[in-house]
Amino acid sequence: MKRGLLSLLALLLHSSSDSQWQSVGPFGGYMQALTSDSSGNLYAAGAFGGVFKSTDNGDLWTQTYDDTVIVNVMSLAVDPGGAVFAGLDPGFMRSTDNGSTWQTLSNGLTSRFVLGLLIGADGEIIAGTSGGGVYRSTDNGTTFSQINTGLTSTYITALALNNSGHLIAGTLTAGLFRSTDDGGNWTAIDSGLTQTQILAVGQHPSGEERPGLRSCRENHERRHYHSGRR
């Protein structure tokens, strides 16, 4: 399943002056992940295209790791120190030099797909996987441990961190879950959801979680999203 909000042939950046979208690349397969570091550099990645970096707000992209090694990049995250992490199909990689070189880590992630990555409130790495649930690393990605207590689905499609520092996990079949103790325990928060297949989770400035849902009707797939801060 492709990541809904970023399944594009190229990234589209919004121009406030004319209220339209402009294609600026990178052109290396459809994009599945987008993140930025504290210096404002952008990182983008996708299927069969590797990892790209832009230092000028998306005007120019350079490929930092190509598709001859990375087959399918599913997710990206950058920690406050500038280390870049990539969730793959399969596996997990880390760069400590702004994406110039990458290291493959065999670190306890038993699930094939790493669909979601984020940096937690205390700097830990949180990974959402397909079938393995949620994993946490407290040593910069060298090792991971499962943190699935309370989850009724271990197919994690999206992760978010809300304004209170709580973790939010979207699942393929069981809706949304929240953890208020850094992933130690999870509680369902799907009251009012019309669908339980979550594709994306965003954080609204007001503090509300905004899920992206998928529904199918009369053989036509429809995707519904709330705009929010990722």
Side-chain angles (χ1 to χ4, degrees), residues 30-110:
Y30 53 81
M31 295 297 110
Q32 298 190 126
L34 175 66
T35 192
S36 62
D37 62 22
S38 58
S39 299
N41 300 317
L42 299 176
Y43 294 87
F48 314 111
V51 179
F52 295 83
K53 179 181 178 180
S54 174
T55 60
D56 56 7
N57 201 34
D59 288 333
L60 178 66
W61 295 88
T62 56
Q63 194 174 42
T64 68
Y65 212 90
D66 64 38
D67 58 338
T68 61
V69 180
I70 294 181
V71 176
N72 191 4
V73 183
M74 311 292 289
S75 52
L76 290 170
V78 182
D79 73 10
V84 187
F85 305 95
L88 313 177
D89 165 24
F92 179 83
M93 297 190 74
R94 176 179 65 200
S95 173
T96 57
D97 55 8
N98 301 308
S100 296
T101 61
W102 294 82
Q103 177 187 11
T104 301
L105 302 175
S106 299
N107 44 32
L109 287 173
T110 59

